[in-house]
């Protein structure tokens, strides 16, 4: 995407995003405003319900007082009815009851006996007729005795309320009125009627009133409060503040109901439609997206014009950079941009100066590179010639080193042997030797110089010469190693050392006397059982480390057919690609399987096993081994 396109998209997207964010914010604010309005409306409804309930109670109390006054008036009226005879009086009572919607009228004497009642044209008193038991006898006595003019016998019993008045000396009239006459007043002033009147106004769907113990006192509307919103009314009672919650597509609002003292005595829960909230949010989002799209289009056009003007010099700088990379830049190509007085003009002028400097330096560098290349080519030719000379010299030294080592044991029917040395580099530090000390004794040497390469090869030559000279001077193997150690310590400027094993084989007896200077102990293959055993160790130190060191000696008896195998650590420590060593165990296992083979086949069996084990891994050390088989005294060997 080009810089112009990025500028256009960035500017227009930022403006559109800002408009959408503003629309969402205003939508949320409008939603919160509607919810606050709903909570305020619920608070008003709670106040209306509380006031309505209070006024209903007042109205009922006043209506009750009116009923009591009417009953008293009726009783007085009944008292003034002409008392011609008791049956006629009963008929008049019956007419009054029928017209006044009363329950009963009784005329009693001082003994509280009924003299007349509203039984129509029956006898004055029906047999067994009595006053209601809940009428207080004390109050009745007060009436008939004249101590009280009228008595209200209290709350209704069985739906009837009773009032009594004095009716002359020793008499009283009792009138009963059904309280059902107040049902119309109660119904007209009841809270449910008011709640019904509030439905379908301001999106109210249902209303439920609860007391402070969360007992439902009344509910109108199609839906009851869901069980998972029961805590909403309890929280309102506890906090005294309105609360709301969206549930599905409806808004539920709860507000506290307070008495005249301001104490919370219950709550009202109102279910309202959430359609207005959804319409508000949808409209704001719709208008916001439309405005964002319009602004995006206008902003993209304006940004495109501005971006092209801004990006044109940047594009010229980009082309100049490509031309600089292709080495075809012309300084005058940026003159138009360089004349600008803003930051881009400054950048163009700096770029022009830098380009001139870079071109000049490139020319200087190219000239220096050509000179250095010619010089390096000449030196490389000299190095190659020197390398060829060194390689030839190393090859000659390798040939000379190989020629130093004997290729075969001195001829004798009492023994046979062979040896091999494979250096890790052009020249190695391992060596072996065997030589006749006299007609009956054979000297056997195997050694390993520390280090590799040319220094080790030179020290190897010195060590071989010193050891051979010491052996020729006579003496036991330990004495010979001690003389050789003293000579090497005296001539060892590079502080190298050599491990060595020196043995003397008596061909007539088969005794092998030996001393070991820190070398791997040789192995002996017994002809009798094919077992492979290690020669006992003598514990000597490597040669060239410390002067005046003694070297202990030991001996072993070889029987006819026994084989000696001497080796350096290049065999036991040969490693495969995973870093595992060949080890003494594999050497012994290979020798057991090759015990009856000729000596040259024994040597090739071991070296072949090592090659198969390392499987092409780089050789880490010189590989040297020597095999000697004893056939018995010369006379027995010739006879066999």
């Amino acid at each position: 995407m080009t810089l112009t396109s990025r500028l256009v998209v960035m500017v227009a997207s930022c403006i559109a995003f800002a408009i959408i964010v503003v629309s969402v914010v205003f939508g949320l604010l409008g939603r919160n405003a509607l919810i606050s309005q709903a909570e305020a409306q619920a608070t008003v409804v709670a106040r209306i319900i509380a006031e309505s309930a209070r006024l209903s109670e007042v109205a009922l109390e006043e209506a009750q007082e009116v009923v009591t006054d009417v009953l008293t008036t009726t009783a007085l009226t009944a008292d003034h009815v002409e008392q011609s005879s008791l049956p006629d009086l009963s008929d008049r009572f019956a007419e009054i009851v029928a017209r006044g919607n009363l329950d009963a009228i009784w005329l009693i004497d001082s003994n509280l006996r009924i003299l007349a009642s509203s039984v129509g044209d029956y006898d004055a008193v029906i047999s067994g007729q009595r006053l209601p038991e809940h009428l207080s006898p004390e109050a009745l006595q007060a009436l008939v005795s004249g101590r009280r003019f009228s008595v209200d016998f209290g709350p209704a019993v069985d739906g009837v309320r009773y009032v009594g008045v004095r009716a002359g000396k020793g008499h009283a009239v009792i009138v009963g009125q059904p309280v059902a006459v107040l049902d119309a007043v109660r119904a007209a002033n009841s809270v449910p009627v008011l709640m019904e009147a509030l439905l379908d106004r301001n999106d109210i769907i249902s209303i439920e009133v609860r007391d402070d113990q969360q007992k439902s006192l009344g509910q109108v509307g199609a839906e009851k409060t869901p069980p998972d919103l029961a805590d909403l009314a309890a929280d309102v009672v506890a906090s005294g503040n309105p609360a709301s919650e969206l549930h599905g597509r409806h808004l539920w609002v709860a507000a506290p109901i307070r008495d005249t003292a301001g104490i919370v005595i219950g709550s009202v829960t109102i279910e309202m439609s959430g359609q207005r909230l959804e319409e508000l949010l949808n409209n704001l989002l719709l208008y916001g997206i439309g405005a964002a799209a319009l602004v995006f289009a206008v902003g993209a056009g304006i940004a495109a014009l501005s971006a092209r003007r801004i990006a044109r010099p940047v594009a010229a700088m980009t082309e100049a950079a490509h031309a600089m990379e292709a080495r075809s830049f012309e300084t005058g190509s940026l003159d138009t941009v360089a004349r600008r007085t803003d930051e881009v003009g400054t950048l163009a002028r700096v770029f022009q100066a830098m380009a001139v400097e870079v071109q000049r330096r490139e020319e200087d560098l190219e000239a220096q590179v050509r000179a250095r290349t010619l010089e390096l080519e000449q030196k490389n030719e000299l190095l190659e010639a020197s390398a060829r000379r060194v390689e030839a010299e190393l090859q000659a030294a390798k040939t000379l080193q190989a020629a130093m080592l004997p290729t075969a044991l001195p001829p004798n029917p009492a023994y046979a042997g062979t040896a091999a040395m494979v250096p890790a580099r052009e020249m190695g530090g391992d060596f072996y030797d065997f030589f006749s000390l006299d007609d009956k004794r054979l000297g056997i040497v195997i050694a390993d110089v520390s280090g590799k390469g040319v220094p080790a090869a030179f020290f190897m030559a010195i060590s071989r010469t010193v050891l051979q000279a010491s052996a020729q001077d006579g003496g036991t193997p330990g004495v010979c190693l001690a003389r050789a150690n003293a000579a090497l310590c005296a001539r060892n400027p590079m502080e190298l050392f050599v491990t060595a094993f020196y043995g003397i084989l008596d061909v007539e007896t088969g005794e092998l006397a030996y001393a070991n200077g820190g070398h791997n102990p040789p192995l002996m293959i017994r002809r009798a059982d094919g077992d492979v055993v290690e020669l006992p160790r003598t514990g000597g130190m490597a040669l060239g480390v410390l002067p005046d060191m003694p070297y202990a000696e030991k001996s072993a008896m070889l029987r006819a057919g026994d084989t000696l195998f001497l080796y350096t650590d290049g065999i036991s420590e040969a490693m495969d690609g995973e870093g595992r060593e060949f080890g003494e165990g594999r050497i012994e296992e290979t020798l057991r399987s090759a015990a009856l083979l000729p000596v040259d086949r024994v040597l090739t069996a071991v070296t072949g096993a090592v090659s198969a084990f390392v499987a092409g891994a780089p050789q880490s050390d010189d590989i040297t081994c020597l095999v000697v088989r004893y056939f018995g005294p010369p006379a027995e060997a010739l006879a066999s």
Side-chain angles (χ1 to χ4, degrees), residues 277-300:
L277 291 176
E278 294 180 359
E279 290 177 353
L280 175 65
L281 291 177
N282 292 336
N283 290 337
L284 287 174
L285 288 177
L286 180 62
Y287 295 149
I289 293 174
L294 178 62
V295 171
F296 184 88
V298 175

PDB file of all heavy atoms in Angstrom, residues 277-300:
ATOM      1  N   LEU A 277     -35.724   1.641  24.724  1.00  0.00           N
ATOM      2  CA  LEU A 277     -34.265   1.563  24.823  1.00  0.00           C
ATOM      3  C   LEU A 277     -33.656   1.015  23.537  1.00  0.00           C
ATOM      4  O   LEU A 277     -32.661   1.543  23.024  1.00  0.00           O
ATOM      5  CB  LEU A 277     -33.878   0.662  26.003  1.00  0.00           C
ATOM      6  CG  LEU A 277     -34.175   1.191  27.404  1.00  0.00           C
ATOM      7  CD1 LEU A 277     -33.831   0.138  28.438  1.00  0.00           C
ATOM      8  CD2 LEU A 277     -33.386   2.468  27.665  1.00  0.00           C
ATOM      9  N   GLU A 278     -34.247  -0.053  23.010  1.00  0.00           N
ATOM     10  CA  GLU A 278     -33.715  -0.644  21.785  1.00  0.00           C
ATOM     11  C   GLU A 278     -33.815   0.334  20.620  1.00  0.00           C
ATOM     12  O   GLU A 278     -32.881   0.462  19.811  1.00  0.00           O
ATOM     13  CB  GLU A 278     -34.467  -1.936  21.463  1.00  0.00           C
ATOM     14  CG  GLU A 278     -34.241  -3.036  22.481  1.00  0.00           C
ATOM     15  CD  GLU A 278     -34.992  -4.298  22.122  1.00  0.00           C
ATOM     16  OE1 GLU A 278     -35.694  -4.280  21.091  1.00  0.00           O
ATOM     17  OE2 GLU A 278     -34.875  -5.293  22.867  1.00  0.00           O
ATOM     18  N   GLU A 279     -34.973   1.022  20.531  1.00  0.00           N
ATOM     19  CA  GLU A 279     -35.122   1.967  19.429  1.00  0.00           C
ATOM     20  C   GLU A 279     -34.100   3.099  19.534  1.00  0.00           C
ATOM     21  O   GLU A 279     -33.528   3.536  18.527  1.00  0.00           O
ATOM     22  CB  GLU A 279     -36.547   2.535  19.437  1.00  0.00           C
ATOM     23  CG  GLU A 279     -37.615   1.523  19.037  1.00  0.00           C
ATOM     24  CD  GLU A 279     -39.004   2.116  19.123  1.00  0.00           C
ATOM     25  OE1 GLU A 279     -39.138   3.263  19.617  1.00  0.00           O
ATOM     26  OE2 GLU A 279     -39.974   1.440  18.690  1.00  0.00           O
ATOM     27  N   LEU A 280     -33.864   3.563  20.779  1.00  0.00           N
ATOM     28  CA  LEU A 280     -32.889   4.638  20.953  1.00  0.00           C
ATOM     29  C   LEU A 280     -31.496   4.194  20.519  1.00  0.00           C
ATOM     30  O   LEU A 280     -30.818   4.888  19.745  1.00  0.00           O
ATOM     31  CB  LEU A 280     -32.873   5.085  22.411  1.00  0.00           C
ATOM     32  CG  LEU A 280     -31.801   6.139  22.776  1.00  0.00           C
ATOM     33  CD1 LEU A 280     -32.074   7.435  22.043  1.00  0.00           C
ATOM     34  CD2 LEU A 280     -31.757   6.354  24.281  1.00  0.00           C
ATOM     35  N   LEU A 281     -31.066   3.037  21.001  1.00  0.00           N
ATOM     36  CA  LEU A 281     -29.738   2.557  20.644  1.00  0.00           C
ATOM     37  C   LEU A 281     -29.627   2.287  19.149  1.00  0.00           C
ATOM     38  O   LEU A 281     -28.635   2.636  18.503  1.00  0.00           O
ATOM     39  CB  LEU A 281     -29.420   1.289  21.439  1.00  0.00           C
ATOM     40  CG  LEU A 281     -29.200   1.474  22.940  1.00  0.00           C
ATOM     41  CD1 LEU A 281     -28.965   0.134  23.614  1.00  0.00           C
ATOM     42  CD2 LEU A 281     -28.019   2.398  23.200  1.00  0.00           C
ATOM     43  N   ASN A 282     -30.650   1.645  18.575  1.00  0.00           N
ATOM     44  CA  ASN A 282     -30.610   1.333  17.139  1.00  0.00           C
ATOM     45  C   ASN A 282     -30.554   2.608  16.303  1.00  0.00           C
ATOM     46  O   ASN A 282     -29.791   2.692  15.325  1.00  0.00           O
ATOM     47  CB  ASN A 282     -31.817   0.493  16.747  1.00  0.00           C
ATOM     48  CG  ASN A 282     -31.772  -0.897  17.349  1.00  0.00           C
ATOM     49  OD1 ASN A 282     -30.686  -1.391  17.668  1.00  0.00           O
ATOM     50  ND2 ASN A 282     -32.920  -1.530  17.522  1.00  0.00           N
ATOM     51  N   ASN A 283     -31.356   3.604  16.703  1.00  0.00           N
ATOM     52  CA  ASN A 283     -31.356   4.857  15.937  1.00  0.00           C
ATOM     53  C   ASN A 283     -30.005   5.556  16.025  1.00  0.00           C
ATOM     54  O   ASN A 283     -29.470   6.039  15.012  1.00  0.00           O
ATOM     55  CB  ASN A 283     -32.467   5.784  16.440  1.00  0.00           C
ATOM     56  CG  ASN A 283     -33.847   5.262  16.089  1.00  0.00           C
ATOM     57  OD1 ASN A 283     -33.999   4.476  15.144  1.00  0.00           O
ATOM     58  ND2 ASN A 283     -34.855   5.667  16.837  1.00  0.00           N
ATOM     59  N   LEU A 284     -29.467   5.608  17.244  1.00  0.00           N
ATOM     60  CA  LEU A 284     -28.173   6.281  17.386  1.00  0.00           C
ATOM     61  C   LEU A 284     -27.081   5.550  16.628  1.00  0.00           C
ATOM     62  O   LEU A 284     -26.230   6.164  15.977  1.00  0.00           O
ATOM     63  CB  LEU A 284     -27.811   6.396  18.867  1.00  0.00           C
ATOM     64  CG  LEU A 284     -28.615   7.430  19.667  1.00  0.00           C
ATOM     65  CD1 LEU A 284     -28.262   7.346  21.143  1.00  0.00           C
ATOM     66  CD2 LEU A 284     -28.354   8.833  19.139  1.00  0.00           C
ATOM     67  N   LEU A 285     -27.095   4.208  16.702  1.00  0.00           N
ATOM     68  CA  LEU A 285     -26.091   3.445  15.954  1.00  0.00           C
ATOM     69  C   LEU A 285     -26.282   3.618  14.451  1.00  0.00           C
ATOM     70  O   LEU A 285     -25.316   3.763  13.693  1.00  0.00           O
ATOM     71  CB  LEU A 285     -26.168   1.962  16.341  1.00  0.00           C
ATOM     72  CG  LEU A 285     -25.641   1.601  17.730  1.00  0.00           C
ATOM     73  CD1 LEU A 285     -25.856   0.118  18.008  1.00  0.00           C
ATOM     74  CD2 LEU A 285     -24.156   1.924  17.836  1.00  0.00           C
ATOM     75  N   LEU A 286     -27.534   3.584  14.028  1.00  0.00           N
ATOM     76  CA  LEU A 286     -27.801   3.731  12.597  1.00  0.00           C
ATOM     77  C   LEU A 286     -27.350   5.102  12.105  1.00  0.00           C
ATOM     78  O   LEU A 286     -26.651   5.222  11.078  1.00  0.00           O
ATOM     79  CB  LEU A 286     -29.301   3.529  12.334  1.00  0.00           C
ATOM     80  CG  LEU A 286     -29.740   3.644  10.875  1.00  0.00           C
ATOM     81  CD1 LEU A 286     -29.060   2.574  10.031  1.00  0.00           C
ATOM     82  CD2 LEU A 286     -31.258   3.520  10.763  1.00  0.00           C
ATOM     83  N   TYR A 287     -27.735   6.137  12.868  1.00  0.00           N
ATOM     84  CA  TYR A 287     -27.318   7.481  12.469  1.00  0.00           C
ATOM     85  C   TYR A 287     -25.798   7.631  12.558  1.00  0.00           C
ATOM     86  O   TYR A 287     -25.174   8.291  11.708  1.00  0.00           O
ATOM     87  CB  TYR A 287     -27.995   8.534  13.362  1.00  0.00           C
ATOM     88  CG  TYR A 287     -29.496   8.584  13.193  1.00  0.00           C
ATOM     89  CD1 TYR A 287     -30.325   8.947  14.256  1.00  0.00           C
ATOM     90  CD2 TYR A 287     -30.089   8.254  11.977  1.00  0.00           C
ATOM     91  CE1 TYR A 287     -31.705   8.980  14.116  1.00  0.00           C
ATOM     92  CE2 TYR A 287     -31.471   8.289  11.829  1.00  0.00           C
ATOM     93  CZ  TYR A 287     -32.274   8.646  12.897  1.00  0.00           C
ATOM     94  OH  TYR A 287     -33.616   8.678  12.754  1.00  0.00           O
ATOM     95  N   GLY A 288     -25.205   7.007  13.605  1.00  0.00           N
ATOM     96  CA  GLY A 288     -23.749   7.103  13.738  1.00  0.00           C
ATOM     97  C   GLY A 288     -23.028   6.436  12.587  1.00  0.00           C
ATOM     98  O   GLY A 288     -22.061   6.977  12.042  1.00  0.00           O
ATOM     99  N   ILE A 289     -23.492   5.239  12.192  1.00  0.00           N
ATOM    100  CA  ILE A 289     -22.847   4.542  11.077  1.00  0.00           C
ATOM    101  C   ILE A 289     -23.035   5.313   9.777  1.00  0.00           C
ATOM    102  O   ILE A 289     -22.119   5.431   8.960  1.00  0.00           O
ATOM    103  CB  ILE A 289     -23.403   3.111  10.972  1.00  0.00           C
ATOM    104  CG1 ILE A 289     -22.970   2.294  12.194  1.00  0.00           C
ATOM    105  CG2 ILE A 289     -22.933   2.437   9.689  1.00  0.00           C
ATOM    106  CD1 ILE A 289     -23.599   0.914  12.259  1.00  0.00           C
ATOM    107  N   GLY A 290     -24.255   5.840   9.586  1.00  0.00           N
ATOM    108  CA  GLY A 290     -24.474   6.635   8.374  1.00  0.00           C
ATOM    109  C   GLY A 290     -23.588   7.863   8.329  1.00  0.00           C
ATOM    110  O   GLY A 290     -22.979   8.180   7.291  1.00  0.00           O
ATOM    111  N   ALA A 291     -23.508   8.558   9.492  1.00  0.00           N
ATOM    112  CA  ALA A 291     -22.651   9.741   9.530  1.00  0.00           C
ATOM    113  C   ALA A 291     -21.192   9.362   9.343  1.00  0.00           C
ATOM    114  O   ALA A 291     -20.424  10.063   8.674  1.00  0.00           O
ATOM    115  CB  ALA A 291     -22.849  10.476  10.858  1.00  0.00           C
ATOM    116  N   ALA A 292     -20.793   8.218   9.914  1.00  0.00           N
ATOM    117  CA  ALA A 292     -19.407   7.778   9.748  1.00  0.00           C
ATOM    118  C   ALA A 292     -19.097   7.461   8.300  1.00  0.00           C
ATOM    119  O   ALA A 292     -18.022   7.790   7.786  1.00  0.00           O
ATOM    120  CB  ALA A 292     -19.155   6.552  10.627  1.00  0.00           C
ATOM    121  N   ALA A 293     -20.058   6.795   7.620  1.00  0.00           N
ATOM    122  CA  ALA A 293     -19.830   6.481   6.211  1.00  0.00           C
ATOM    123  C   ALA A 293     -19.712   7.759   5.385  1.00  0.00           C
ATOM    124  O   ALA A 293     -18.850   7.870   4.487  1.00  0.00           O
ATOM    125  CB  ALA A 293     -20.978   5.605   5.699  1.00  0.00           C
ATOM    126  N   LEU A 294     -20.595   8.732   5.675  1.00  0.00           N
ATOM    127  CA  LEU A 294     -20.533   9.988   4.938  1.00  0.00           C
ATOM    128  C   LEU A 294     -19.216  10.711   5.199  1.00  0.00           C
ATOM    129  O   LEU A 294     -18.545  11.182   4.265  1.00  0.00           O
ATOM    130  CB  LEU A 294     -21.726  10.862   5.338  1.00  0.00           C
ATOM    131  CG  LEU A 294     -21.787  12.262   4.686  1.00  0.00           C
ATOM    132  CD1 LEU A 294     -21.905  12.122   3.172  1.00  0.00           C
ATOM    133  CD2 LEU A 294     -22.957  13.063   5.247  1.00  0.00           C
ATOM    134  N   VAL A 295     -18.843  10.782   6.495  1.00  0.00           N
ATOM    135  CA  VAL A 295     -17.592  11.464   6.827  1.00  0.00           C
ATOM    136  C   VAL A 295     -16.396  10.710   6.252  1.00  0.00           C
ATOM    137  O   VAL A 295     -15.418  11.314   5.816  1.00  0.00           O
ATOM    138  CB  VAL A 295     -17.476  11.612   8.354  1.00  0.00           C
ATOM    139  CG1 VAL A 295     -16.107  12.120   8.751  1.00  0.00           C
ATOM    140  CG2 VAL A 295     -18.546  12.563   8.872  1.00  0.00           C
ATOM    141  N   PHE A 296     -16.489   9.377   6.236  1.00  0.00           N
ATOM    142  CA  PHE A 296     -15.390   8.591   5.665  1.00  0.00           C
ATOM    143  C   PHE A 296     -15.199   8.936   4.196  1.00  0.00           C
ATOM    144  O   PHE A 296     -14.072   9.114   3.728  1.00  0.00           O
ATOM    145  CB  PHE A 296     -15.696   7.100   5.827  1.00  0.00           C
ATOM    146  CG  PHE A 296     -14.586   6.210   5.359  1.00  0.00           C
ATOM    147  CD1 PHE A 296     -13.570   5.858   6.210  1.00  0.00           C
ATOM    148  CD2 PHE A 296     -14.558   5.733   4.063  1.00  0.00           C
ATOM    149  CE1 PHE A 296     -12.530   5.041   5.796  1.00  0.00           C
ATOM    150  CE2 PHE A 296     -13.530   4.926   3.623  1.00  0.00           C
ATOM    151  CZ  PHE A 296     -12.518   4.573   4.501  1.00  0.00           C
ATOM    152  N   ALA A 297     -16.327   9.043   3.468  1.00  0.00           N
ATOM    153  CA  ALA A 297     -16.216   9.359   2.048  1.00  0.00           C
ATOM    154  C   ALA A 297     -15.645  10.771   1.838  1.00  0.00           C
ATOM    155  O   ALA A 297     -14.728  10.975   1.029  1.00  0.00           O
ATOM    156  CB  ALA A 297     -17.585   9.230   1.387  1.00  0.00           C
ATOM    157  N   VAL A 298     -16.186  11.741   2.603  1.00  0.00           N
ATOM    158  CA  VAL A 298     -15.693  13.111   2.453  1.00  0.00           C
ATOM    159  C   VAL A 298     -14.240  13.203   2.921  1.00  0.00           C
ATOM    160  O   VAL A 298     -13.381  13.820   2.256  1.00  0.00           O
ATOM    161  CB  VAL A 298     -16.595  14.085   3.260  1.00  0.00           C
ATOM    162  CG1 VAL A 298     -16.026  15.493   3.220  1.00  0.00           C
ATOM    163  CG2 VAL A 298     -18.013  14.064   2.693  1.00  0.00           C
ATOM    164  N   GLY A 299     -13.960  12.588   4.070  1.00  0.00           N
ATOM    165  CA  GLY A 299     -12.596  12.625   4.581  1.00  0.00           C
ATOM    166  C   GLY A 299     -11.614  11.944   3.660  1.00  0.00           C
ATOM    167  O   GLY A 299     -10.468  12.378   3.514  1.00  0.00           O
ATOM    168  N   ALA A 300     -12.059  10.845   3.025  1.00  0.00           N
ATOM    169  CA  ALA A 300     -11.163  10.148   2.099  1.00  0.00           C
ATOM    170  C   ALA A 300     -10.818  11.039   0.915  1.00  0.00           C
ATOM    171  O   ALA A 300      -9.661  11.071   0.459  1.00  0.00           O
ATOM    172  CB  ALA A 300     -11.819   8.850   1.627  1.00  0.00           C
TER     173      ALA A 300
END
